Amino acid sequence: DIQMTQSPSSLSASVGDRVTITCRASQGISNYVAWYQKKPGKVPKVLIYAASTLQSGVPSRFSGSGSGTDFTLTISSLQPEDVATYYCQKYNSVPLTFGPGTKVDIK
Amino acid sequence: EVQLLESGGGLVQPGGSLRLSCAASGFTFGNYAMTWVRQAPGKGLEWVSTISGGGDGTFYADSVKGRFTISRDNSENTLFLQMNSLRAEDTAIYYCAKRGDGSGWSYFDYWGQGTLVTVSS
């Protein structure tokens, strides 16, 4: 099975900072990657799908890029409401594996 | 408006069984594959199982294969997860999720609020 890794596992940044999270697949998966935001006690929310397509209603400070094995989620200007854990997910085939998550908080 | 409402969670002893339900509304249920995803306390998201729109295709994570059964009733717009031989490591919040648009496998664009399953003696 294809494994998904994420780095860093956690980060702390200031409001307004540019934040980048990396996701790597153990084999090529084209652009079949989604990114989710998960806040404690809340439902997961899709931010990006097809590696770079912004889900309707998601703020434009979120963006995604990559193809093949390496993918990136970028928050262009971190806001207090962005404190959450972010997960990448592959969906080229089953198993529909999630990455281990990156916890983002405010410095 | 798409709505997904899970039910059926609770406390069960190791080795026991539980059946989760997810009532769907706001979309043509039978046109979409549906999925169960879980999150154990303090852990990440884990894909559990997916069923095709017509119900003829079912897929499972290795961790639940042979113990869990996913099914659906398209006439009632309801998704199910029958969980047998439950283990402590199955303790988690279980979410049902709707497939996004497009062909083939997809991401999840709508999620239910989740139902908590606790396996403990």
Side-chain angles (χ1 to χ4, degrees):
Chain A
D1 292 346
I2 296 172
Q3 305 303 313
M4 303 295 285
T5 58
Q6 286 183 234
S7 60
S9 56
S10 65
L11 65 90
S12 185
S14 300
V15 172
D17 281 355
R18 183 181 184 89
V19 168
T20 299
I21 299 169
T22 297
C23 176
R24 177 163 290 173
S26 59
Q27 298 176 40
I29 54 173
S30 185
N31 68 335
Y32 293 103
V33 164
W35 289 93
Y36 299 86
Q37 178 189 65
K38 178 68 170 70
K39 298 180 180 180
K42 300 293 187 180
V43 174
K45 173 185 175 183
V46 63
L47 303 174
I48 301 285
Y49 63 92
S52 61
T53 302
L54 191 69
Q55 174 73 350
S56 175
V58 173
S60 59
R61 64 180 179 274
F62 291 94
S63 64
S65 65
S67 183
T69 59
D70 295 316
F71 304 88
T72 299
L73 174 71
T74 299
I75 309 173
S76 61
S77 177
L78 186 68
Q79 300 301 303
E81 60 267 32
D82 300 334
V83 170
T85 300
Y86 294 85
Y87 296 89
C88 61
Q89 182 219 357
K90 63 171 275 295
Y91 58 91
N92 63 312
S93 64
V94 290
L96 306 178
T97 308
F98 290 89
T102 295
K103 188 173 183 180
V104 174
D105 62 24
I106 301 292
K107 191 182 296 181
Chain B
E1 178 192 8
V2 172
Q3 291 193 352
L4 300 170
L5 183 62
E6 302 94 337
S7 61
L11 175 64
V12 61
Q13 292 188 340
S17 298
L18 215 52
R19 190 193 199 201
L20 306 183
S21 299
C22 172
S25 61
F27 64 104
T28 306
F29 183 67
N31 286 355
Y32 290 88
M34 295 293 294
T35 292
W36 289 98
V37 175
R38 68 185 181 184
Q39 185 173 33
K43 303 294 185 181
L45 299 173
E46 180 186 14
W47 171 74
V48 173
S49 181
T50 294
I51 186 168
S52 63
D56 52 336
T58 57
F59 308 88
Y60 300 93
D62 287 345
S63 58
V64 306
K65 199 172 295 182
R67 300 187 299 122
F68 291 10
T69 302
I70 192 171
S71 62
R72 63 192 298 158
D73 183 340
N74 286 348
S75 67
E76 296 290 333
N77 292 347
T78 304
L79 173 71
F80 302 101
L81 185 68
Q82 177 67 43
M83 304 186 296
N84 298 332
S85 303
L86 282 161
R87 306 166 180 167
E89 54 264 37
D90 295 319
T91 294
I93 297 173
Y94 285 74
Y95 299 96
C96 65
K98 171 188 167 291
R99 179 195 186 285
D101 288 326
S103 61
W105 295 104
S106 183
Y107 59 98
F108 311 128
D109 58 356
Y110 288 93
W111 298 62
Q113 290 298 313
T115 187
L116 176 63
V117 172
T118 303
V119 184
S120 175
S121 55

